Amino acid sequence: MPGDDRLSAVDHLVVLMLENRSFDHMLGFLYPNNVSDAGQEYAGLTGDESNPDPDGQDVKVRRIEATDAHPYFMPGANPGEGYRPTNAQLFGSLDPPSPPVATMQGFVTNFADTLVLRRKDPRQTVLPGTVADDIMACFAPETLPVLSALARGYAVCDHWFSSVPTETMPNRAFACAATSQGHLDDHAHSFTCPSIFGLLDGHGVDWRVYGYQNMPLTSGNFPDIHNASTDHFGVFTDFRSAAQADGLPPFTFLEPSWQSTGNSEHPVYDVALGEQLLQEVYRILRDGPGWERTLLVITYDEHGGCYDHVPPPAPCTPPGDGTIGEFGFGFDRLGVRVPTVLVSPLIAPGTVFRVPDGATPLDHTSILRTLERRWSLPALTARDGAAGDVGAALTLPAPRTDDVLADVTAPTAAAHNPAAGEVSHLQQVYADLVARQLLPGQTPVLERSLPTRFTSQAYADFIQAHSRSG
């Protein structure tokens, strides 16, 4: 029950939100027989799950092994994203049926359609030999040793859903503001609603947002964060320094690197780099003086078209902010399951954390609800007002002293990144925010035009020239 846990012992909530992976794709094979080391039920894969291909033949799930040809670039191409492709994956049609009962049987056929489009676009990376069946490939725990060790060593949330059945920016908006103001695609790069950052400011609670190499993209998404003082922002080295000096605020939001050569884990970028980032974030916190009072939430903004077998729950509470959803969507059902791991010395190993049957399922607004309960804040919208928080995962009377990554080595990044020349769409979003002068403390853009050369380096140069870096 709320109030019976150790949430009040947490002084630092740190959130690392990565990109575009589903729960089954990353953690479906975590526990053999789907029972955790603590004996708790786990909603993972049995190995018998399947989807029909375009010819009606069943394609079963399979394990991505570290010995495979290119394991960390699976599924070999960027799957379909957005509201309508997600519908195709969930329902087998671009528009949801009525009632919207998800069969989770459209992933292979949608990936087949997506591969046709990707191969026609020279700007898109498709690994040689990629086929539609590859969308059913899910990582073996040994292939993701860092994420898997953290999930087993602390708490894995096996019923945590993205907030919206669509792509990145609406889900990141829900994670920070509990609404996307009706938007269902990544064309909206900024919003006009209040966010958690302004809410924290208004109640005297400190916060920081850290980008990886440049100022965070999030800093340009909402008016109350854009107008905040620049001491709220930094890069990854600033995060490291703050943690080592016991200087982390109550809320810290971390971003990965957005380039195709970065560590965001967006398909088809190098997941090994994401594993290295996870290890580094854990090491910084675990070895810092504030570890005993820290809760780290690792999550992914959306499923990115990757396979999952659990239907998203419906109905759910709409934001109730008066905005009308695109495509006639009522924001009354959640998106696909995403991997979420809770890391704290107050969490028992082998924990599988989910809300009780009948309670509001966990989604990205559960981060907001956790902050709101811990620091006695009002809700931003009806969605986070109805959300569950993660306090009940914190059950230990005293902090643990073991180190779950003591003997774990992150995988090595590939010598050649086949996606190295691809322009990340979030790199483009970032450049647009720079061009519109929406990043705090940035160098003025004298000619507010985006790069004329459509290359990753051109975008990186533009961002570096006009944004404040650490």
Side-chain angles (χ1 to χ4, degrees):
M1 296 294 292
D4 295 339
D5 51 57
R6 300 294 314 285
L7 184 59
S8 62
V10 171
D11 292 334
H12 313 292
L13 176 60
V14 179
V15 174
L16 171 61
M17 179 171 276
L18 297 168
E19 277 287 296
N20 293 41
R21 301 281 175 169
S22 71
F23 186 88
D24 277 342
H25 179 67
M26 301 295 277
L27 292 171
F29 288 118
L30 180 67
Y31 284 119
N33 302 316
N34 289 324
V35 177
S36 82
D37 297 339
Q40 298 176 349
E41 178 186 3
Y42 181 69
L45 294 167
T46 66
D48 291 328
E49 293 82 4
S50 66
N51 259 212
D53 68 12
D55 296 325
Q57 300 298 309
D58 281 345
V59 180
K60 281 191 175 183
V61 293
R62 64 175 176 86
R63 293 161 62 100
I64 302 172
E65 306 287 358
T67 54
D68 290 350
H70 42 70
Y72 298 109
F73 295 99
M74 291 297 289
N78 185 21
E81 296 182 54
Y83 176 72
R84 302 196 80 198
T86 299
N87 285 338
Q89 294 151 18
L90 301 185
F91 309 112
S93 60
L94 294 175
D95 296 305
S98 181
V101 178
T103 63
M104 313 303 284
Q105 291 292 294
F107 287 89
V108 176
T109 53
N110 183 251
F111 194 44
D113 293 340
T114 301
L115 282 175
V116 172
L117 299 176
R118 298 287 186 251
R119 289 191 168 109
K120 290 180 179 178
D121 187 346
R123 299 171 298 181
Q124 294 284 332
T125 301
V126 179
L127 295 183
T130 298
V131 295
D133 294 12
D134 289 333
I135 202 65
M136 300 300 289
C138 300
F139 284 97
E142 298 79 13
T143 314
L144 300 181
V146 178
L147 180 64
S148 298
L150 292 173
R152 288 192 300 259
Y154 296 100
V156 58
C157 300
D158 67 343
H159 282 79
W160 183 295
F161 298 84
S162 54
S163 294
V164 202
T166 188
E167 52 195 332
T168 288
M169 294 307 293
N171 275 293
R172 286 185 172 265
F174 265 84
C176 295
T179 181
S180 65
Q181 295 189 293
H183 296 292
L184 282 172
D185 58 35
D186 283 354
H187 292 107
H189 301 166
S190 58
F191 305 87
T192 60
C193 56
S195 75
I196 187 61
F197 309 105
L199 182 65
L200 290 167
D201 267 342
H203 289 79
V205 182
D206 199 9
W207 53 273
R208 294 287 186 278
V209 183
Y210 294 102
Y212 195 71
Q213 296 150 318
N214 298 102
M215 287 296 102
L217 180 154
T218 305
S219 62
N221 292 155
F222 308 96
D224 52 14
I225 189 172
H226 169 65
N227 293 320
S229 62
T230 55
D231 59 7
H232 284 295
F233 309 105
V235 294
F236 194 78
T237 53
D238 299 319
F239 162 69
R240 180 194 302 276
S241 298
Q244 291 174 340
D246 201 12
L248 290 179
F251 181 47
T252 298
F253 191 75
L254 299 176
E255 293 182 6
S257 168
W258 299 122
Q259 291 180 240
S260 57
T261 53
N263 49 24
S264 73
E265 298 193 347
H266 189 292
V268 286
Y269 308 159
D270 194 340
V271 173
L273 292 174
E275 282 280 283
Q276 294 171 20
L277 175 62
L278 290 176
Q279 185 176 48
E280 192 170 11
V281 170
Y282 171 81
R283 273 276 65 87
I284 289 169
L285 297 174
R286 172 62 180 75
D287 297 342
W291 169 241
E292 293 186 352
R293 297 170 282 114
T294 298
L295 169 61
L296 168 64
V297 179
I298 300 164
T299 191
Y300 293 71
D301 52 25
E302 46 124 341
H303 79 296
C306 297
Y307 174 70
D308 195 75
H309 79 281
V310 173
C316 68
T317 302
D321 58 348
T323 55
I324 299 174
E326 297 168 340
F327 304 101
F329 183 64
F331 294 91
D332 52 357
R333 56 184 172 88
L334 296 175
V336 179
R337 272 198 318 174
V338 291
T340 302
V341 174
L342 311 177
V343 178
S344 167
L346 297 174
I347 296 175
T351 296
V352 178
F353 183 70
R354 61 175 78 155
V355 296
D357 291 343
T360 302
L362 298 170
D363 79 316
H364 294 327
T365 64
S366 296
I367 295 169
L368 303 176
R369 188 74 251 159
T370 302
L371 283 164
E372 290 157 3
R373 182 159 84 84
R374 170 61 183 86
W375 280 281
S376 301
L377 307 173
L380 287 160
T381 74
R383 171 66 71 84
D384 58 317
D389 65 77
V390 303
L394 306 164
T395 60
L396 298 182
R400 293 162 49 186
T401 59
D402 59 319
D403 184 349
V404 304
L405 293 189
D407 300 316
V408 175
T409 301
T412 303
H416 169 67
N417 184 337
E422 185 175 309
V423 178
S424 154
H425 81 286
L426 285 176
Q427 198 178 19
Q428 296 177 62
V429 170
Y430 194 115
D432 172 69
L433 295 174
V434 169
R436 291 193 286 137
Q437 305 284 156
L438 290 178
L439 296 187
Q442 74 176 79
T443 303
V445 182
L446 300 180
E447 296 182 3
R448 298 187 187 182
S449 59
L450 294 174
T452 55
R453 291 183 297 114
F454 197 87
T455 67
S456 179
Q457 190 59 52
Y459 275 83
D461 291 344
F462 176 82
I463 290 167
Q464 185 66 32
H466 299 294
S467 64
R468 185 170 66 91
S469 59

